[in-house]
Every structure is written in structure tokens, then in C-alpha cells.
Amino acid sequence: MKLQRMNRRALALGALAVSGALALTACGSDDTGGASGGGSSNAAAPSNVKCDDAKGQLLADGSSAQKNAIDAWVKQFTAACQGLQINYKGGGSGAGVTAFTQGQVAFAGSDSALKPDEVAASKKVCNGGQGIDLPMVGGPIAVGYNVNGVDNLVLDAPTLAKIFNGKITNWNDAAIKKLNPDAKLPDLKIQAFHRSDDSGTTDNFTKYLIATAKGDWPYDGGKTWQAKGGQSASGSSGVAQQVKQTNGAIGYFELSYAKDGLKTVDLDTGAAQPVKATVENATKAISEAKVVGTGKDLSLQLNYGTKAEGAYPMVLVTYEIVCDKGNKSDTLPGTKAFLRYIASEDGQKILSENDYAPIPADIISQVRTTIEGLS
């Protein structure tokens, strides 16, 4: 009996040691500056993941906006499907679309839907098919700022447009004072940072300005920054880092990059109260989106001009771009298995744990059906 008790105790201690080792392993770091995967996604791997004999390596590139979400998903998925290695570069939406249309990656991430010329180019690599947009990640584009002594800041679309267009150049400008009568705004030069790389975040940020402040933002929009002046940095992480270390700075990036005390602007949308950049408030705005894609394409039209109470309209939706038909036979099982997981309830739940917004239920259900039909 004594020996049996000793054996049971040894087994229990061994189990504790293994669980502790797994917990430590799950705390690795990534290139976004936080724990690999971020948030609370280092829980045990989901037991209902279907691996479909996915093996080898899956290459992907694109949106840096969704990089933190992809990291969290990859950690969970590969814990369950250890035969597949997923390498998502996160080099920006423009780089991702180019890599996809050149046949270099199994799928790409982009914060903007494919344009007609990009769809045409995709037909060269999608044998008998074409590239389609699957909305998978939602979230607010936060406007981060660094002004010593200013802990709360409200801006509206016209003022934001003038700041990023170089028409408002100082923090104690009358337009900013009017929106922030109680703030101690310093006599300090504004240093506005934008993306240096082609970016879907830039596309969505400027779509918001075009929709709500066209008179102050006389540009066509798109992934490439068009306004003159300002300073630039590569990727959302680069813009966030520059804002964090520069007094007087302002820049735009996804909420998941607003870390370590980086402050964000509240938007005056015309609603009764200014709206904060939160996942919940972004979800309210994204819920007004409409599917405008044709066939299996599920690209969305967002309502950037909403004035609904508590709706944060400066949002983006990131698409996973994949061939509807003609996917490579060696990557199709892994691509479908991974996309199936991230569109699942478990996968979408991880988004809110990492400062992203899940895709509305009626839209994500269409995404799941489309994924099952990929060939």
C-alpha cells in the first residue's frame, strides 16, 4: 500500500511538471513585441480541430494588421496539427497580394478586397479558378498619440484629415482646442506618422476620411499613402513604435498594437458622445457591413459614416485571399484545415481576446460554407 501511494504521488508530480513545461513553452515571444500569439490564447489546443492529414509547410504573407491574430491562431492550430508548419510573414497587404498572384504563397491576408486587375492576375495561378476574399478578422483602426500631459483626446474626421494632410501642424490649434476644451494642449509641433509600405490599413483609414471629410481629404485613397509631408514607418508595429517614442506624434494602426500605455483618440462621429476605439464599438460598426462580392467572393462594404451610438466607424476587415478552385494539391489540405479553424467559433473567439473583432455571425457562416468548397 505504501508503494502504491508513492507511485501515485510520483505520477501526480510528473503531471504537474509536464503541465508547467507546456505553460513555459507557450510563453515564447514573436516579432510583434508580445507573447507569441498574444492575449490568453496559450490555453490547451482545441480538441475539435480537423487536421485533414495536413503536413509540410504552409507559406503565407500579407496584412500586418492581422499578424497578432494569425500568431494566436497558428499557436493553437499547430499544437493540434503538429505535422503542419505555418509561416505567415506579415509583410503588408500589398506584398501579400503580390505574393499570391505570383503563386508564392498558399493564401494571403489583405485589409482590402482584390481589385479587378488583381483578380485577373490570380487566374494565372488558380488553375480553372480565381482568387476570392474571405472576411476573417475585424477591428478598429486606432489613432494613437503621444502628447505629454494629455491623457484624453477627442478628434473628429475633418480635424484628423487636416492633421494628416499637413493643414493643422500644432497641438494647440484652435480646431483641436474646440474639441478638447478641458485639455492642456501644449505649443508643440505635430508629427504625423503614416505607413511607408502599401497597406490595407492605409486604404481603410483613408476610406474613412474620404467618406466623412472629403472636403479636407482631396485624395482617391488606396493602399499607397498619397498626402504630402508627414513621416513614415514600415508596418503597423513600426508606426506604433514611432508614436510611442516621439513626443508630439500621432499615427494610425490596429488596436492590437496600442500597447504599453500608448494612448488612443476618441472619435467625435456626430453621436451624442465621442466613441472610444474598442473591440465592442468596432463590432457595432462592422455589423452594418454588407456582402458585395459576387460568386464565392465575400468582400464587404463597410459603413464608415455611421453615427450610431457607440459605433466606432474607423474599422477594417481583413480578408484571407485564396483560390476558389485550382489550389495546389500539396497545400490545399493544410489551407482548408487552417482556414476552417480560424473561421470556427473557437477561432473567432480568439479575436476578442487579442483586441480584434469577430466577423458577424451571418457573414462568417457564409465563409465557413465557402471554405468547405475550396478545391
Side-chain angles (χ1 to χ4, degrees):
M1 292 294 291
K2 182 176 181 181
L3 181 59
Q4 289 176 338
R5 286 196 298 270
M6 291 177 65
N7 285 340
R8 287 197 297 268
R9 184 182 181 193
L11 285 170
L13 289 173
L16 285 171
V18 170
S19 65
L22 288 172
L24 288 173
T25 301
C27 294
S29 62
D30 59 38
D31 64 359
T32 61
S36 180
S40 58
S41 58
N42 54 4
S47 59
N48 58 348
V49 173
K50 296 180 180 180
C51 300
D52 288 349
D53 296 323
K55 298 178 181 178
Q57 188 178 48
L58 203 62
L59 298 179
D61 194 6
S63 165
S64 66
Q66 69 169 9
K67 180 68 165 59
N68 292 335
I70 291 284
D71 286 346
W73 279 331
V74 167
K75 178 187 288 186
Q76 293 284 58
F77 180 82
T78 54
C81 305
Q82 298 182 12
L84 183 67
Q85 179 184 355
I86 301 174
N87 183 356
Y88 182 81
K89 187 177 179 181
S93 296
V97 172
T98 298
F100 179 76
T101 56
Q102 293 179 351
Q104 299 171 358
V105 294
F107 71 91
S110 176
D111 310 329
S112 301
L114 291 169
K115 291 180 171 57
D117 61 322
E118 294 168 338
V119 173
S122 74
K123 294 180 179 180
K124 299 177 182 178
V125 296
C126 300
N127 188 18
Q130 66 178 51
I132 56 173
D133 303 287
L134 301 178
M136 204 73 74
V137 182
I141 299 175
V143 177
Y145 70 98
N146 181 355
V147 182
N148 290 343
V150 180
D151 295 326
N152 297 287
L153 185 68
V154 175
L155 295 175
D156 58 13
T159 306
L160 273 172
K162 291 172 185 176
I163 287 172
F164 282 92
N165 198 27
K167 302 302 182 183
I168 292 179
T169 59
N170 201 290
W171 280 108
N172 65 357
D173 187 272
I176 303 177
K177 283 184 175 181
K178 183 177 180 179
L179 291 165
N180 300 271
D182 298 326
K184 296 181 179 179
L185 297 166
D187 183 6
L188 177 69
K189 181 182 177 181
I190 295 174
Q191 302 197 51
F193 285 89
H194 58 265
R195 290 281 289 273
S196 60
D197 52 322
D198 282 1
S199 160
T201 310
T202 293
D203 190 15
N204 285 274
F205 176 66
T206 55
K207 279 180 178 176
Y208 168 75
L209 296 179
I210 291 169
T212 56
K214 181 62 177 175
D216 297 301
W217 193 257
Y219 304 103
D220 297 332
K223 294 187 180 75
T224 303
W225 185 257
Q226 295 176 319
K228 305 299 182 183
Q231 301 183 62
S232 64
S234 178
S236 292
S237 58
V239 173
Q241 183 61 32
Q242 289 297 324
V243 173
K244 182 180 177 182
Q245 66 187 22
T246 307
N247 186 32
I250 189 170
Y252 59 92
F253 39 80
E254 294 67 44
L255 183 62
S256 64
Y257 291 91
K259 302 293 186 182
D260 303 324
L262 195 54
K263 294 168 288 190
T264 60
V265 168
D266 295 348
L267 285 183
D268 182 344
T269 64
Q273 297 294 330
V275 186
K276 294 185 177 298
T278 68
V279 169
E280 295 77 15
N281 293 344
T283 299
K284 291 179 182 178
I286 294 172
S287 66
E288 298 184 22
K290 297 179 180 178
V291 175
V292 293
T294 58
K296 294 184 178 180
D297 185 88
L298 297 175
S299 56
L300 303 178
Q301 183 180 67
L302 298 170
N303 182 9
Y304 298 100
T306 180
K307 296 181 181 180
E309 295 299 329
Y312 185 88
M314 194 190 297
V315 296
L316 59 75
V317 169
T318 290
Y319 302 95
E320 309 313 327
I321 296 171
V322 66
C323 296
D324 58 355
K325 298 178 182 178
N327 288 280
K328 295 178 181 178
S329 59
D330 59 335
T331 59
L332 178 59
T335 300
K336 287 185 70 171
F338 183 62
L339 294 180
R340 179 188 295 122
Y341 164 63
I342 67 179
S344 70
E345 288 186 12
D346 285 341
Q348 289 290 297
K349 181 180 178 182
I350 283 178
L351 292 177
S352 58
E353 298 171 358
N354 289 272
D355 294 324
Y356 294 98
I359 299 300
D362 59 331
I363 297 174
I364 202 66
S365 66
Q366 297 179 59
V367 172
R368 292 168 185 155
T369 300
T370 302
I371 290 170
E372 295 306 320
L374 298 178
S375 61

